[in-house]
Amino acid sequence: MMFYRLLSIVGRQRASPGWQNWSSARNSTSAAEARSMALPTQAQVVICGGGITGTSVAYHLSKMGWKDIVLLEQGRLAAGSTRFCAGILSTARHLTIEQKMADYSNKLYYQLEQETGIQTGYTRTGSIFLAQTQDRLISLKRINAGLNVIGIPSEIISPKKVAELHHLLNVHDLVGAMHVPEDAVVSSADVALALASAASQNGVQIYDRTSVLHVMVKKGQVTGVETDKGQIECQYFVNCAGQWAYELGLSNEEPVSIPLHACEHFYLLTRPLETPLQSSTPTIVDADGRIYIRNWQGGILSGGFEKNPKPIFTEGKNQLEIQNLQEDWDHFEPLLSSLLRRMPELETLEIMKLVNCPETFTPDMRCIMGESPAVQGYFVLAGMNSAGLSFGGGAGKYLAEWMVHGYPSENVWELDLKRFGALQSSRTFLRHRVMEVMPLMYDLKVPRWDFQTGRQLRTSPLYDRLDAQGARWMEKHGFERPKYFVPPDKDLLALEQSKTFYKPDWFDIVESEVKCCKEAVCVIDMSSFTKFEITSTGDQALEVLQYLFSNDLDVPVGHIVHTGMLNEGGGYENDCSIARLNKRSFFMISPTDQQVHCWAWLKKHMPKDSNLLLEDVTWKYTALNLIGPRAVDVLSELSYAPMTPDHFPSLFCKEMSVGYANGIRVMSMTHTGEPGFMLYIPIEGMDFIGRDALLQQKQNGVYKRLTMFILDDHDSDLDLWPWWGEPIYRNGQYVGKTTSSAYSYSLERHVCLGFVHNFSEDTGEEQVVTADFINRGEYEIDIAGYRFQAKAKLYPVASLFTQKRRKDDMELSDLHGK
Amino acid sequence: GQAGGEGSRSGSCTGLRGKSAERWRRCRPLLVGKNRLVSCRARRMCVCPGPRRIGIPVRSSSLPLFSDAMPAPTQLFFPLIRNCELSRIYGTACYCHHKHLCCSSSYIPQSRLRYTPHPAYATFCRPKENWWQYTQGRRYASTPQKFYLTPPQVNSILKANEYSFKVPEFDGKNVSSILGFDSNQLPANAPIEDRRSAATCLQTRGMLLGVFDGHAGCACSQAVSERLFYYIAVSLLPHETLLEIENAVESGRALLPILQWHKHPNDYFSKEASKLYFNSLRTYWQELIDLNTGESTDIDVKEALINAFKRLDNDISLEAQVGDPNSFLNYLVLRVAFSGATACVAHVDGVDLHVANTGDSRAMLGVQEEDGSWSAVTLSNDHNAQNERELERLKLEHPKSEAKSVVKQDRLLGLLMPFRAFGDVKFKWSIDLQKRVIESGPDQLNDNEYTKFIPPNYHTPPYLTAEPEVTYHRLRPQDKFLVLATDGLWETMHRQDVVRIVGEYLTGMHHQQPIAVGGYKVTLGQMHGLLTERRTKMSSVFEDQNAATHLIRHAVGNNEFGTVDHERLSKMLSLPEELARMYRDDITIIVVQFNSHVVGAYQNQE
C-alpha cells in the first residue's frame, strides 16, 4: 500500500491559509521532539497515526506506565483531519459510553494546557441544541436525562432563554432547546500536539514523515512493522490512521478489516463581525437545519451534515491528497440557506473560506476500537464519525486500558471492532452506507431505526418465501431478519412518517403474531444465530469447553445447557446454549452479532491442538424456531414420533426426520422464552475462565444486578415509549439505566431490563446489590424527563411462560433480546 | 346514412372553424395546410375519426348515422373525415365496442381497427347508454377553450403516470448491468389502451421490461401485461425449480416467488382472473416438467421468449374457446381474445440483451460514440406493411390467390395495421369457430357487431400470429440506454432525435461551472443569492426527473425547431378526451439505463 507524503505538502503551504493558528503548532512540534534520526529496531508498541486518536493512545499508554512506545506519523503531527477539525467539543451524545468518553475528553483537555504548557485555545463556551419540532425536543430530553445522571450539567430551556444566550439567533420557529454549559471549543491540532508532547516526556518516541507500509504477522500475532524507513519489531500495533485505517488494515498479509469510509465535509469561515463575537459565545447545533455554528476569531465557523453527502470516491494514493478537495458552493447552498435563516444578520458578513475536510464514518455511526479478531496484538482506534476531538481523549484512555489490562474500565461492546462481520467491509458497501450515515448525524434518531443501504448482504434460504408473505426486514450483523409480517390488507406508514418515540405503527401486527405464538403455533426463522461445532478426537473438546464456560457441560449426550463465556473479571463475554451431540462433539448457539467476537474469544483461548476442531457452521443450517402450545402437535405430526415431555424432555437435542427432510437437529428449547422447539436444518464444569471472579462474587455479592421493571402507570397509546438507555431511579436516587425494553402483550405493560447499582450516598462508590436491595425500593424510569412508576422483579413474571415450560428450565438468557 | 354524413359535413364549418379550431391550427401548423394531421396519420386512420388501427363496418342498426341528436361530434370530425380517403365511403361509423370491452370511463368511438367501407353497413351504431356523452361532447366542443394550462398543470399531467426504479446495488446476488429505468405513459384513448410491465426474475437472473399496445380495447394488452412475464420466467426456469414450485402447489406451501414487479400504482392486476391465469400457467409448467427429458440443457433465452409468447397467445385463445362458468370471467376471456395487443419485451441479463417483438412497438438502443455524440441502433423490426420481409412472409403463408387480399392498403386483410399480435382471434380462428363461440357466448358478445363481423377475404386462417422476432445484442460500454416505446412515440419523433434527447438528458445533469470565492470580497448574502439563482436555473432545465417524461414532453410539445414549446404542450394536453386521439396516439415509454462500468467489467472478464 502506497502512503503518500501528504503532510510535507501541508507543511509547506502552511503559511498561506492562515486561518488556523499554526505558530503554536510549529513550536510544539519541536517540543514533541519529532525525530529525523534512525528508527529503533524494536519496541513494545507501535502506534500508527499522529492525529488526535494516536497521540491520545500514546499519552494514556505512557501514563499507565508503558514506556517502550513508538508513534509513527506519515507526514507531520496533527495534520490530517485533526488539523481541519472545527474544534467543537460536545458531550451531548446518544450513547452513554459516548457521553462518558466526551466528558472525559472535556476534563482532560481542560487541564492539558496546565499540564503541558502548550496553549490549546480551550474555551468553555457551552452549547445549545435547538429543537424546531416536538419530536426533536423529545430526543433532546432523552439525551438530557442521560447527561444528568452521569453528572454532566445540562437543561432544557425555552426559546426565549435561547435568545438571551445568543443574540444573533432567530428563535421564532423553535419549540425549545437543550443547553449544555460546560461544552467547549478548542484547537484540536494543539490538543494533539500537547498530548504528543506529554507522551514524549513520558518516554514515547515520536517519528514523523515515516509511513507504515504494512504490519508483519506470524501465527496470527503481530511481530513487527515494515515502514519506509525500516522495520520495527513489536508486540502491539495500534492503527490510528484515521481515514487511511481501512487501507492500512488491508495491507497486511492477514488483512484486518476496519470498515470506515471518508466523506467530504464542508464548513464556512467568515471574517469578524463589526462587533466581533465574543470568544465565550455558545456553540449552536441546529440539527433540524442540519448545521452547527460556533464563534471563530470574532466571526463564525459554520458547517453541517447535508442530506446528500459526497463520499471520497477515489481509492489509495489520490485519497491522501486532502489539499485537492475542492470547495463546492452549490453543494453547500442548503446549509448556507439554513444558516442565514437561523442568523439573518449574517447576510452582510464577508466570506473568508469554505473549508472542505474529510471526515470518516463507520457503518453504524459508532467509532471503532479494540483488538482485531484475526490478528492478536493488532489494535484499532478509528472511524470517529466527525467526533474525533470529542471522543479522542476518552477513547484513547479506554483503548490504553484494554491493551494494558486486557479490557477497558467501561463496557465498550457497542464500539468493539468485532461487532462487524466480513460482509460489512467492501468498499462499495461502505461508500453506500456512509452516504446514509452522514445525514443521520442530524436526522432525528428514533428507536429501532434500520439502515436502508447496504442491505441483503446475507439472507436466509427462506428469504424469498418470507418476503412473499409480507415480511418487513431488519439487519443484524449483515444478516436480514424478519421483524414482522404485514398482512395483505394492511398498510404501514411511509418510512419518514413512521418515525416516532410513541407507539409504533407495527403494534397491532405484532400483537396478533404474539397471540398466535401464545395460543397456537408459529415458525420463526432464526437462521442468523451464530452456530459453532466443536469436535475432537478425544476428550479435548469437553475439557476446553469446561474451561471456557461457566456451567457444567459434562452432561449426557443429547442434553442442552444454557451457559456463558466469562472473562477474567467474571463478566459475560457471550451467552449461549450448548448441545452435546455426542461424547466428543458439541453444538454451540449464540446471538447473531456474536459471530466474530465469539469466534475470536474461542480461538484465543483454545489450545493449539490439531485434534481439536472448531468450525463455524452458521451458514450450514437453516434454523427454525417452532413455538407455541401447539408446537408439540405440529412436530409429532411431521415426525411421526412422540413428543411428550417423557420422550422429549425440555433442553434436549435429537436428530430426527421431519416431513421429508432427514438429519434435522431438533432441540426442545427456544430463544424467546416461550415453549417450543428449535429445528436446525442442514443446508448444506471444572475450572473455567472467570471462575475465581465468580467465586468471589458468590462470596461478596454482585455490584450490579439485571432487573426487570414493569411500567404500571404507562399508557402505551399516549405516552412516550421506553426503548433503552432510560435512567432508573430507586427511591429518587439514580441507580442505573435500562438496557432494553419491550411491550409485553401478555402483561399488557411495558417491560424494561436494566442493571441496578447501589451507589453509596456518601462516597458514590459502588456497593453490593442484594435481592433485598432490589425488592425494597420504589422505582421510576425516566423517559425524556418524565418519570414513570415501575415495579422491579428479579425473576421473570410467571404469566410470561405458559404451562409446558417448567420453571427450573428458565435462564436469564431466555430474557435477552437477541 | 349517406345523406346524414354529407349533411353534417357541410354543416361542420361553423363548429370547428370557430375560434377553437383556429387555435388548434395555430398551435400545430402541421394540421393546417393539406390537413397534415390526417395525412401524417392517414396510414393509421380511416373512417373513424381517430387514428385507430381497427375499424369495422357495422350491420344495420335502428339509429341513423349522424342523427340530428348529435351534431357536435360530427362537426368536429369533419375535417378529419374528409381527409380519410373517404371519398369512396358514403356511410361510415365506428362501432363502439369499448364500452363493453373495457371499463366504465367515457370515450369517443374510435377504433384501432380500420373501418372497411361497405355499402351494406352504412349505418352508425353505438350503444344507447352513450347518448349523454355526445351531448356533453357538444357542450365541450362548442365552447372555445379559453385557458392555457400553467406549467405546473402541464407537469402534473405529464407526471401522473411516471415511474422510476433504481436497481439496488446490493441485491445480494449479483451486480446488475442495469442502473434502473424510467417509464411513463400519456393516454390519448380513454381509457388508455397501452400497457407497460417491468419485473426482476427472482429464480433466474435478469430483468424483463415491456410495452404493450392494445387495440379494439384494452382487455388484451392488460392481460398480456399481467401474464406474459410469468410465461417468460417459467420458460427460463430450470427443471428442479419448476418441480419445487409444483410440489409447493401440490402440498399447499408458500410458493417460491419468481417475479419482483416494479409497478406504478396505476398499473393494476385483475384480481378476478388471477386464479384462472394461474391455472393456465400451471398447466404450462406441468407440461414443461413432463417434457423434460432429464438431460440438463442450458436454457436458451431466445427459445424461451418465443415459447412464452406463443404459449400465452394459445392460452388466451383456448380460454376463450372453453369459457368459464363465472359469467364475468367468461366475458372477460372473450374480450381479451377478441381484442388485440402488440408486445415489445426486453430481457437483460448481464451483457446479454434479448428483445422479443410482436407488432410495431420498437426497441431502440442509445449508443454514445467516442466523440460524445449519440446514435440510435434499432433492435426490433416493425411488423407492418413497411416491412418487406413481413409482406413476403404473409404472402408465403397463404395461397397465391390471396396475394392481393392478404395485405390491402397496408393493412392485414385491409383491416389491421400490425401484422403480428396477441389476441385478435378474428384473424386467427376459423369462421366456424368464431361463429360457434359468439353464439354460445354471452349476450353482450352477440349484440356486439364488431365481434360478429368476419374480415373480408377470410379464406385460410390464421392470418395473424403472436410469435415474436427475437433480436440478440451483446451490450458494450458505449451502449448507454434502451428505449422501449409504443408507436405513439415513434410516429411523432425520429429515432435519432429520441436517442439524442434521452442521451443529453441522462448525461447533461451537471453543466454549470463551479464557483470559487478566490480572493474576492463576497458576503454571505451575495453568495446565497448567486447560489439560489443557479439552482433555479438548474431545476428549470431539468424539471423532469424521469427520462420517459422528458421524452413525452418533447414528443408532444416539440415545435418545428425541435424545442419544447410550452403553449403547444399546454394545448395538446388540454384537448378534450374525444379529440385527443385525433392528434396523438397513446404513448408508452420505458428508458432503461445501463451501468457501463458493470458492462465494461464483463467485457474485461473475457
PDB file of all heavy atoms in Angstrom, chain A residues 23 40 95 183 206 348 350 429 433 438 535 566 588 677 718 741 764 781:
ATOM      1  N   SER A  23       1.339  28.862  14.652  1.00  0.00           N
ATOM      2  CA  SER A  23       2.616  29.169  15.301  1.00  0.00           C
ATOM      3  C   SER A  23       2.820  28.241  16.477  1.00  0.00           C
ATOM      4  O   SER A  23       3.900  27.681  16.671  1.00  0.00           O
ATOM      5  CB  SER A  23       2.624  30.628  15.758  1.00  0.00           C
ATOM      6  OG  SER A  23       1.485  30.862  16.570  1.00  0.00           O
ATOM      7  N   PRO A  40      14.143   2.966  15.983  1.00  0.00           N
ATOM      8  CA  PRO A  40      14.603   1.840  16.793  1.00  0.00           C
ATOM      9  C   PRO A  40      14.271   0.529  16.082  1.00  0.00           C
ATOM     10  O   PRO A  40      13.382   0.493  15.237  1.00  0.00           O
ATOM     11  CB  PRO A  40      13.792   1.986  18.076  1.00  0.00           C
ATOM     12  CG  PRO A  40      12.587   2.754  17.698  1.00  0.00           C
ATOM     13  CD  PRO A  40      12.990   3.650  16.565  1.00  0.00           C
ATOM     14  N   LEU A  95     -25.209   7.666  22.940  1.00  0.00           N
ATOM     15  CA  LEU A  95     -24.868   6.502  23.758  1.00  0.00           C
ATOM     16  C   LEU A  95     -24.195   6.953  25.040  1.00  0.00           C
ATOM     17  O   LEU A  95     -23.397   7.895  25.031  1.00  0.00           O
ATOM     18  CB  LEU A  95     -23.899   5.587  22.995  1.00  0.00           C
ATOM     19  CG  LEU A  95     -24.397   4.951  21.710  1.00  0.00           C
ATOM     20  CD1 LEU A  95     -23.287   4.101  21.103  1.00  0.00           C
ATOM     21  CD2 LEU A  95     -25.608   4.078  22.007  1.00  0.00           C
ATOM     22  N   ASP A 183     -19.783  22.471  27.652  1.00  0.00           N
ATOM     23  CA  ASP A 183     -19.136  22.140  26.381  1.00  0.00           C
ATOM     24  C   ASP A 183     -18.147  23.243  26.028  1.00  0.00           C
ATOM     25  O   ASP A 183     -18.251  24.371  26.513  1.00  0.00           O
ATOM     26  CB  ASP A 183     -20.187  21.996  25.274  1.00  0.00           C
ATOM     27  CG  ASP A 183     -20.851  20.619  25.311  1.00  0.00           C
ATOM     28  OD1 ASP A 183     -20.415  19.782  26.133  1.00  0.00           O
ATOM     29  OD2 ASP A 183     -21.784  20.382  24.528  1.00  0.00           O
ATOM     30  N   ILE A 206       8.569   9.633  19.105  1.00  0.00           N
ATOM     31  CA  ILE A 206       7.684  10.045  18.022  1.00  0.00           C
ATOM     32  C   ILE A 206       8.499  10.301  16.756  1.00  0.00           C
ATOM     33  O   ILE A 206       9.500  11.026  16.792  1.00  0.00           O
ATOM     34  CB  ILE A 206       6.904  11.313  18.417  1.00  0.00           C
ATOM     35  CG1 ILE A 206       6.029  11.005  19.641  1.00  0.00           C
ATOM     36  CG2 ILE A 206       6.056  11.806  17.262  1.00  0.00           C
ATOM     37  CD1 ILE A 206       5.345  12.203  20.238  1.00  0.00           C
ATOM     38  N   THR A 348     -24.594  40.300   5.657  1.00  0.00           N
ATOM     39  CA  THR A 348     -23.570  41.247   5.213  1.00  0.00           C
ATOM     40  C   THR A 348     -22.156  40.828   5.626  1.00  0.00           C
ATOM     41  O   THR A 348     -21.191  41.524   5.345  1.00  0.00           O
ATOM     42  CB  THR A 348     -23.842  42.627   5.829  1.00  0.00           C
ATOM     43  OG1 THR A 348     -23.959  42.460   7.246  1.00  0.00           O
ATOM     44  CG2 THR A 348     -25.147  43.202   5.301  1.00  0.00           C
ATOM     45  N   GLU A 350     -18.648  39.007   5.594  1.00  0.00           N
ATOM     46  CA  GLU A 350     -17.819  38.637   4.451  1.00  0.00           C
ATOM     47  C   GLU A 350     -17.263  37.221   4.592  1.00  0.00           C
ATOM     48  O   GLU A 350     -16.816  36.806   5.663  1.00  0.00           O
ATOM     49  CB  GLU A 350     -16.651  39.622   4.313  1.00  0.00           C
ATOM     50  CG  GLU A 350     -15.994  39.555   2.963  1.00  0.00           C
ATOM     51  CD  GLU A 350     -14.734  40.414   2.940  1.00  0.00           C
ATOM     52  OE1 GLU A 350     -14.747  41.512   3.536  1.00  0.00           O
ATOM     53  OE2 GLU A 350     -13.743  39.975   2.339  1.00  0.00           O
ATOM     54  N   PHE A 429     -19.954  -1.296  -0.334  1.00  0.00           N
ATOM     55  CA  PHE A 429     -20.871  -1.256   0.804  1.00  0.00           C
ATOM     56  C   PHE A 429     -20.620  -0.002   1.631  1.00  0.00           C
ATOM     57  O   PHE A 429     -21.551   0.729   1.975  1.00  0.00           O
ATOM     58  CB  PHE A 429     -20.676  -2.502   1.677  1.00  0.00           C
ATOM     59  CG  PHE A 429     -21.313  -2.373   3.041  1.00  0.00           C
ATOM     60  CD1 PHE A 429     -22.673  -2.553   3.203  1.00  0.00           C
ATOM     61  CD2 PHE A 429     -20.551  -2.050   4.151  1.00  0.00           C
ATOM     62  CE1 PHE A 429     -23.267  -2.417   4.454  1.00  0.00           C
ATOM     63  CE2 PHE A 429     -21.129  -1.910   5.400  1.00  0.00           C
ATOM     64  CZ  PHE A 429     -22.487  -2.097   5.555  1.00  0.00           C
ATOM     65  N   ARG A 433     -23.100   3.029   2.467  1.00  0.00           N
ATOM     66  CA  ARG A 433     -23.583   3.152   3.820  1.00  0.00           C
ATOM     67  C   ARG A 433     -23.228   4.509   4.410  1.00  0.00           C
ATOM     68  O   ARG A 433     -24.050   5.136   5.076  1.00  0.00           O
ATOM     69  CB  ARG A 433     -23.010   2.016   4.670  1.00  0.00           C
ATOM     70  CG  ARG A 433     -23.428   2.037   6.134  1.00  0.00           C
ATOM     71  CD  ARG A 433     -24.919   2.130   6.348  1.00  0.00           C
ATOM     72  NE  ARG A 433     -25.690   0.930   6.112  1.00  0.00           N
ATOM     73  CZ  ARG A 433     -25.763  -0.107   6.941  1.00  0.00           C
ATOM     74  NH1 ARG A 433     -25.104  -0.121   8.070  1.00  0.00           N
ATOM     75  NH2 ARG A 433     -26.498  -1.135   6.631  1.00  0.00           N
ATOM     76  N   MET A 438     -23.900   9.692   7.212  1.00  0.00           N
ATOM     77  CA  MET A 438     -23.553  11.095   7.455  1.00  0.00           C
ATOM     78  C   MET A 438     -24.783  11.980   7.660  1.00  0.00           C
ATOM     79  O   MET A 438     -24.828  12.740   8.627  1.00  0.00           O
ATOM     80  CB  MET A 438     -22.670  11.622   6.336  1.00  0.00           C
ATOM     81  CG  MET A 438     -22.222  13.046   6.593  1.00  0.00           C
ATOM     82  SD  MET A 438     -20.932  13.516   5.461  1.00  0.00           S
ATOM     83  CE  MET A 438     -21.258  15.252   5.331  1.00  0.00           C
ATOM     84  N   THR A 535     -15.464 -30.194  17.882  1.00  0.00           N
ATOM     85  CA  THR A 535     -15.287 -31.643  17.946  1.00  0.00           C
ATOM     86  C   THR A 535     -13.830 -31.961  18.223  1.00  0.00           C
ATOM     87  O   THR A 535     -12.942 -31.150  17.968  1.00  0.00           O
ATOM     88  CB  THR A 535     -15.685 -32.316  16.620  1.00  0.00           C
ATOM     89  OG1 THR A 535     -15.085 -31.584  15.563  1.00  0.00           O
ATOM     90  CG2 THR A 535     -17.173 -32.334  16.425  1.00  0.00           C
ATOM     91  N   LEU A 566     -17.217 -16.325  30.275  1.00  0.00           N
ATOM     92  CA  LEU A 566     -16.905 -15.193  31.128  1.00  0.00           C
ATOM     93  C   LEU A 566     -15.475 -14.745  30.882  1.00  0.00           C
ATOM     94  O   LEU A 566     -14.642 -15.520  30.414  1.00  0.00           O
ATOM     95  CB  LEU A 566     -17.050 -15.595  32.604  1.00  0.00           C
ATOM     96  CG  LEU A 566     -18.373 -16.250  33.008  1.00  0.00           C
ATOM     97  CD1 LEU A 566     -18.369 -16.531  34.499  1.00  0.00           C
ATOM     98  CD2 LEU A 566     -19.534 -15.350  32.644  1.00  0.00           C
ATOM     99  N   MET A 588     -22.870 -25.286  19.421  1.00  0.00           N
ATOM    100  CA  MET A 588     -22.993 -24.088  20.251  1.00  0.00           C
ATOM    101  C   MET A 588     -23.785 -23.026  19.498  1.00  0.00           C
ATOM    102  O   MET A 588     -23.506 -22.753  18.336  1.00  0.00           O
ATOM    103  CB  MET A 588     -21.571 -23.601  20.542  1.00  0.00           C
ATOM    104  CG  MET A 588     -21.507 -22.267  21.189  1.00  0.00           C
ATOM    105  SD  MET A 588     -19.768 -21.874  21.468  1.00  0.00           S
ATOM    106  CE  MET A 588     -19.972 -20.149  21.864  1.00  0.00           C
ATOM    107  N   PHE A 677     -39.662 -25.511  20.068  1.00  0.00           N
ATOM    108  CA  PHE A 677     -38.518 -26.279  19.596  1.00  0.00           C
ATOM    109  C   PHE A 677     -37.688 -25.456  18.638  1.00  0.00           C
ATOM    110  O   PHE A 677     -38.206 -24.595  17.928  1.00  0.00           O
ATOM    111  CB  PHE A 677     -39.002 -27.525  18.852  1.00  0.00           C
ATOM    112  CG  PHE A 677     -39.771 -28.465  19.727  1.00  0.00           C
ATOM    113  CD1 PHE A 677     -41.141 -28.343  19.876  1.00  0.00           C
ATOM    114  CD2 PHE A 677     -39.116 -29.467  20.425  1.00  0.00           C
ATOM    115  CE1 PHE A 677     -41.852 -29.194  20.702  1.00  0.00           C
ATOM    116  CE2 PHE A 677     -39.826 -30.336  21.247  1.00  0.00           C
ATOM    117  CZ  PHE A 677     -41.196 -30.195  21.384  1.00  0.00           C
ATOM    118  N   LEU A 718     -50.515   6.779  24.515  1.00  0.00           N
ATOM    119  CA  LEU A 718     -50.323   8.219  24.611  1.00  0.00           C
ATOM    120  C   LEU A 718     -48.935   8.616  25.079  1.00  0.00           C
ATOM    121  O   LEU A 718     -48.431   9.667  24.710  1.00  0.00           O
ATOM    122  CB  LEU A 718     -51.362   8.809  25.581  1.00  0.00           C
ATOM    123  CG  LEU A 718     -52.808   8.563  25.156  1.00  0.00           C
ATOM    124  CD1 LEU A 718     -53.759   9.087  26.215  1.00  0.00           C
ATOM    125  CD2 LEU A 718     -53.084   9.244  23.816  1.00  0.00           C
ATOM    126  N   SER A 741     -35.931  -2.734  26.220  1.00  0.00           N
ATOM    127  CA  SER A 741     -37.289  -2.746  26.715  1.00  0.00           C
ATOM    128  C   SER A 741     -38.227  -3.194  25.610  1.00  0.00           C
ATOM    129  O   SER A 741     -37.887  -3.141  24.435  1.00  0.00           O
ATOM    130  CB  SER A 741     -37.664  -1.374  27.252  1.00  0.00           C
ATOM    131  OG  SER A 741     -38.373  -0.653  26.298  1.00  0.00           O
ATOM    132  N   GLY A 764     -20.387   7.724  46.766  1.00  0.00           N
ATOM    133  CA  GLY A 764     -20.719   7.415  45.369  1.00  0.00           C
ATOM    134  C   GLY A 764     -20.132   6.084  44.943  1.00  0.00           C
ATOM    135  O   GLY A 764     -20.282   5.655  43.798  1.00  0.00           O
ATOM    136  N   ILE A 781     -38.792   5.037  36.099  1.00  0.00           N
ATOM    137  CA  ILE A 781     -37.997   5.073  34.869  1.00  0.00           C
ATOM    138  C   ILE A 781     -38.213   6.446  34.236  1.00  0.00           C
ATOM    139  O   ILE A 781     -39.361   6.884  34.078  1.00  0.00           O
ATOM    140  CB  ILE A 781     -38.459   3.991  33.860  1.00  0.00           C
ATOM    141  CG1 ILE A 781     -38.504   2.609  34.519  1.00  0.00           C
ATOM    142  CG2 ILE A 781     -37.596   3.994  32.618  1.00  0.00           C
ATOM    143  CD1 ILE A 781     -37.202   1.934  34.712  1.00  0.00           C
TER     144      ILE A 781
END
